Amino acid sequence: EASARPKVTYPGMMYSAAVSLGSALLLNGIVLLFIVEPDPWYDAQYVIPLAGMLINNSLSGTALALNSMIDHLHGGREQVEVFLTFGASPWEAAWPGFVKSVQAALIPAINGMNVVGLVSIP
């Protein structure tokens, strides 16, 4: 889903999206086991809402970040090429797009916190 939305793609895009979603599942496990500590650990009362919130936020953030970064690299190709021509590393050339994509990916999470409060517990 996250890697299917952008119009322009790159070869490792599906892998990047899978790593992002996998990290959300890992975070879900850590939060569930060490912070919530339900007994038993697989109690559906805790697992389903936490997994739903984390996967939803991860998928939304991944899709927005990928779309924004690819738009920046595709639309601002000349700017990136100028940076690379003047000796910037690939990270330095892509940094402005990275900052914009992270900001765009965090907007839904920040807006959700503004509406619900800092913590949303079902």
Side-chain angles (χ1 to χ4, degrees):
E1 176 75 21
S3 63
R5 292 182 185 178
K7 296 173 186 162
V8 180
T9 61
Y10 64 91
M13 187 177 216
M14 187 64 127
Y15 175 75
S16 298
V19 167
S20 176
L21 294 176
S23 64
L25 291 175
L26 179 65
L27 180 64
N28 184 35
I30 290 170
V31 167
L32 186 67
L33 293 177
F34 298 113
I35 296 175
V36 178
E37 296 179 352
D39 187 37
W41 67 269
Y42 52 85
D43 190 5
Q45 177 183 359
Y46 300 104
V47 172
I48 293 173
L50 283 174
M53 286 187 286
L54 286 172
I55 291 171
N56 177 33
N57 288 336
S58 176
L59 186 60
S60 298
T62 301
L64 289 171
L66 274 174
N67 199 15
S68 177
M69 188 67 182
I70 289 175
D71 284 346
H72 172 74
L73 292 176
H74 187 69
R77 182 176 182 168
E78 295 82 19
Q79 178 187 12
V80 173
E81 287 178 356
V82 167
F83 282 143
L84 292 172
T85 302
F86 286 129
S89 69
W91 261 108
E92 292 170 336
W95 185 255
F98 177 75
V99 170
K100 289 179 184 178
S101 67
V102 168
Q103 289 173 345
L106 289 176
I107 288 173
I110 292 171
N111 287 342
M113 286 184 223
N114 286 338
V115 173
V116 178
L118 290 179
V119 179
S120 174
I121 298 177

